[in-house]
């Protein structure tokens, strides 16, 4: 199976317009109607789309839209690997009646008739599954082909965790702890001394620089707009910090590389934000630009210290598209929250993009072997056995 990589394209079974109302059975329709009636009753039968009802309705729609029935065409070897993974992980059980794979030990929301996995044989095998399951399978197949063996996460089907060459050391978490502690200290300090005004004053904007407040260039990356903003950023930082630090070498040099990449990525995000808002007054705060730079390097680097992934690789392209979708959803969510709370809340997607691009392009230079060759992205044969579940 060696040769150029084939694209694994996911398509809707019913079409984009049909999926805008992601209800595919009477069994699924009944609880949806019950929820809608409940929301109408709670809000005194006001119009369905109100400030108070829009957010839960949007979240409910999104949860069902992500599981819309979809298809993907794969090779017979890939199909054999998928079936072996389904059997090995035991999250799905094959029915003797229809030959489909159904979730085991699932909640009522996972019993809808369209939520199954089916492989239809042919010269190219047609794989049918919910959209989120197909995306996980595609990611697993591509990661196995581009990066070699990976360990399955034992808690979620087809979720992979790259096998690190050695267990993480406690010292690997030091840089993330330093950044998290600085962010927490900033939050407590501002709330205790200045409140919301402090957050605004420490935010970065063209207006702030015009006023001579150049300290905001660095202060903004440790300042957050609220509790949830802080929690989300620190959660991501905690998840990736130790893994990336381990790939950056031994301390203290690895710590310095991590912190320098974070700061420079945040500055790159700030630069793009200012470039697109040269006269803006809306302050930008948060560690997201730096974190996106760390994520980009984590995507390109390998656990074994081998050649970094080429930017043209499918993993990088998928990650870039995921970044676009993630920011689009966050933008919509914040827009609804602003509408609900009558408070202007923005999304500094420019900082996210700038930090991600910096980590993607310059990140490999922070690795212990900056002269690593770039992986050419050629396709390796499918593994004949499954990686051990972890």
């Amino acid at each position: 199976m060696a040769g150029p990589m084939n694209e694994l394209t996911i398509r809707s079974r019913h079409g984009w317009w049909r999926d805008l109302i992601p209800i595919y059975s009477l069994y699924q329709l009944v609880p949806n109607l019950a929820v809608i009636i409940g929301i109408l009753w709670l809000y005194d039968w006001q119009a369905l789309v109100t400030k108070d009802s829009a957010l839960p309705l949007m979240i409910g729609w999104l949860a069902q839209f992500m599981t819309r029935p979809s298809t993907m065409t794969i090779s017979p070897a890939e199909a054999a690997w998928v079936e072996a993974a389904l059997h090995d992980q035991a999250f799905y059980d094959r029915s003797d009646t229809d030959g489909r794979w159904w979730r085991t030990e699932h909640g009522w929301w996972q019993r809808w008739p369209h939520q199954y996995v089916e492989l239809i044989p042919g010269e190219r095998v047609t794989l049918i599954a919910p959209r989120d399951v197909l995306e996980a399978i595609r990611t697993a197949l591509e990661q196995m082909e581009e990066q070699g063996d990976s360990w399955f996460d034992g808690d979620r089907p087809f979720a992979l965790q790259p096998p690190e060459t050695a267990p993480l050391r406690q010292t690997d978490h030091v840089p993330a702890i330093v950044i998290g502690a600085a962010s927490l200290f900033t939050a407590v300090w501002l709330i205790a001394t200045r409140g919301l005004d402090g957050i605004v004053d420490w935010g970065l904007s063209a207006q702030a620089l015009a006023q001579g407040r150049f300290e905001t260039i660095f202060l903004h990356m440790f300042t957050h707009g609220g509790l949830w903003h802080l929690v989300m950023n620190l959660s991501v930082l905690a998840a990736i910090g130790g893994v990336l630090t381990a790939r950056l070498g031994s301390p203290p040099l690895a710590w310095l590389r991590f912190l320098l990449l974070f700061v420079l990525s945040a500055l790159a995000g700030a630069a793009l934000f200012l470039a697109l808002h040269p006269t803006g007054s809306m302050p930008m705060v948060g560690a997201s630009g730096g974190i996106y730079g760390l994520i980009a390097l984590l995507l390109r680097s390998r656990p074994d210290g081998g050649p970094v992934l080429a930017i043209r690789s499918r993993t990088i392209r998928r990650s870039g598209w995921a970044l676009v979708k993630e920011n689009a959803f966050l933008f919509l969510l914040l827009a609804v929250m602003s509408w609900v709370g009558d408070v202007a809340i923005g999304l500094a997607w420019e900082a996210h993009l700038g930090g991600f691009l910096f980590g993607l392009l310059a990140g490999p230079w922070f690795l212990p072997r900056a002269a690593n060759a770039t992986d050419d992205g050629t396709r390796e044969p499918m593994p004949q056995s499954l990686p051990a579940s972890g």
Side-chain angles (χ1 to χ4, degrees), residues 37 101 188 222 257 271 308 311 375:
I37 292 172
W101 294 83
V188 173
F222 301 104
R257 288 168 173 159
V308 295
I311 294 179
D375 188 358

mmCIF file of all heavy atoms in Angstrom, residues 37 101 188 222 257 271 308 311 375:
data_model
loop_
_atom_site.group_PDB
_atom_site.id
_atom_site.type_symbol
_atom_site.label_atom_id
_atom_site.label_comp_id
_atom_site.label_asym_id
_atom_site.label_seq_id
_atom_site.Cartn_x
_atom_site.Cartn_y
_atom_site.Cartn_z
ATOM 1 N N ILE A 37 -40.687 22.148 24.133
ATOM 2 C CA ILE A 37 -41.886 22.503 24.889
ATOM 3 C C ILE A 37 -41.520 22.942 26.307
ATOM 4 O O ILE A 37 -42.082 23.899 26.855
ATOM 5 C CB ILE A 37 -42.875 21.319 24.927
ATOM 6 C CG1 ILE A 37 -43.430 21.065 23.517
ATOM 7 C CG2 ILE A 37 -44.003 21.573 25.914
ATOM 8 C CD1 ILE A 37 -44.257 19.814 23.395
ATOM 9 N N TRP A 101 -22.284 -2.240 13.643
ATOM 10 C CA TRP A 101 -21.637 -2.095 14.948
ATOM 11 C C TRP A 101 -22.401 -1.045 15.743
ATOM 12 O O TRP A 101 -22.547 0.100 15.308
ATOM 13 C CB TRP A 101 -20.179 -1.666 14.779
ATOM 14 C CG TRP A 101 -19.323 -2.695 14.112
ATOM 15 C CD1 TRP A 101 -19.196 -2.910 12.770
ATOM 16 C CD2 TRP A 101 -18.463 -3.642 14.752
ATOM 17 N NE1 TRP A 101 -18.314 -3.934 12.523
ATOM 18 C CE2 TRP A 101 -17.835 -4.408 13.725
ATOM 19 C CE3 TRP A 101 -18.152 -3.928 16.077
ATOM 20 C CZ2 TRP A 101 -16.931 -5.419 13.988
ATOM 21 C CZ3 TRP A 101 -17.235 -4.933 16.348
ATOM 22 C CH2 TRP A 101 -16.643 -5.666 15.324
ATOM 23 N N VAL A 188 -6.196 37.173 40.266
ATOM 24 C CA VAL A 188 -6.491 37.523 41.662
ATOM 25 C C VAL A 188 -6.096 38.965 41.948
ATOM 26 O O VAL A 188 -6.826 39.717 42.611
ATOM 27 C CB VAL A 188 -5.752 36.550 42.607
ATOM 28 C CG1 VAL A 188 -5.907 37.002 44.054
ATOM 29 C CG2 VAL A 188 -6.281 35.129 42.430
ATOM 30 N N PHE A 222 -1.095 37.328 30.016
ATOM 31 C CA PHE A 222 -1.359 36.701 31.314
ATOM 32 C C PHE A 222 -2.671 37.190 31.925
ATOM 33 O O PHE A 222 -2.993 36.854 33.063
ATOM 34 C CB PHE A 222 -0.198 36.983 32.273
ATOM 35 C CG PHE A 222 1.120 36.471 31.775
ATOM 36 C CD1 PHE A 222 2.063 37.334 31.244
ATOM 37 C CD2 PHE A 222 1.401 35.108 31.795
ATOM 38 C CE1 PHE A 222 3.280 36.859 30.769
ATOM 39 C CE2 PHE A 222 2.609 34.617 31.318
ATOM 40 C CZ PHE A 222 3.547 35.502 30.803
ATOM 41 N N ARG A 257 13.000 26.831 26.253
ATOM 42 C CA ARG A 257 12.427 26.709 24.910
ATOM 43 C C ARG A 257 10.907 26.845 24.943
ATOM 44 O O ARG A 257 10.311 27.521 24.101
ATOM 45 C CB ARG A 257 12.829 25.364 24.303
ATOM 46 C CG ARG A 257 14.291 25.259 23.894
ATOM 47 C CD ARG A 257 14.666 23.822 23.590
ATOM 48 N NE ARG A 257 16.015 23.710 23.048
ATOM 49 C CZ ARG A 257 16.734 22.602 23.074
ATOM 50 N NH1 ARG A 257 16.223 21.496 23.617
ATOM 51 N NH2 ARG A 257 17.944 22.578 22.557
ATOM 52 N N ALA A 271 0.775 40.746 17.148
ATOM 53 C CA ALA A 271 1.166 41.507 15.963
ATOM 54 C C ALA A 271 0.104 41.417 14.877
ATOM 55 O O ALA A 271 -0.236 42.422 14.234
ATOM 56 C CB ALA A 271 2.511 41.001 15.441
ATOM 57 N N VAL A 308 10.096 16.257 11.775
ATOM 58 C CA VAL A 308 8.818 16.927 11.991
ATOM 59 C C VAL A 308 7.906 16.680 10.796
ATOM 60 O O VAL A 308 8.377 16.438 9.678
ATOM 61 C CB VAL A 308 9.014 18.438 12.211
ATOM 62 C CG1 VAL A 308 9.784 18.710 13.481
ATOM 63 C CG2 VAL A 308 9.695 19.067 11.006
ATOM 64 N N ILE A 311 4.365 20.592 6.567
ATOM 65 C CA ILE A 311 3.186 21.455 6.659
ATOM 66 C C ILE A 311 2.095 20.987 5.713
ATOM 67 O O ILE A 311 0.912 21.154 5.982
ATOM 68 C CB ILE A 311 3.581 22.922 6.369
ATOM 69 C CG1 ILE A 311 4.493 23.425 7.482
ATOM 70 C CG2 ILE A 311 2.360 23.813 6.244
ATOM 71 C CD1 ILE A 311 4.968 24.840 7.288
ATOM 72 N N ASP A 375 9.435 15.383 7.273
ATOM 73 C CA ASP A 375 8.821 14.179 6.727
ATOM 74 C C ASP A 375 8.221 14.497 5.369
ATOM 75 O O ASP A 375 7.543 15.506 5.192
ATOM 76 C CB ASP A 375 7.734 13.686 7.688
ATOM 77 C CG ASP A 375 7.178 12.336 7.301
ATOM 78 O OD1 ASP A 375 7.599 11.801 6.263
ATOM 79 O OD2 ASP A 375 6.334 11.825 8.046
#
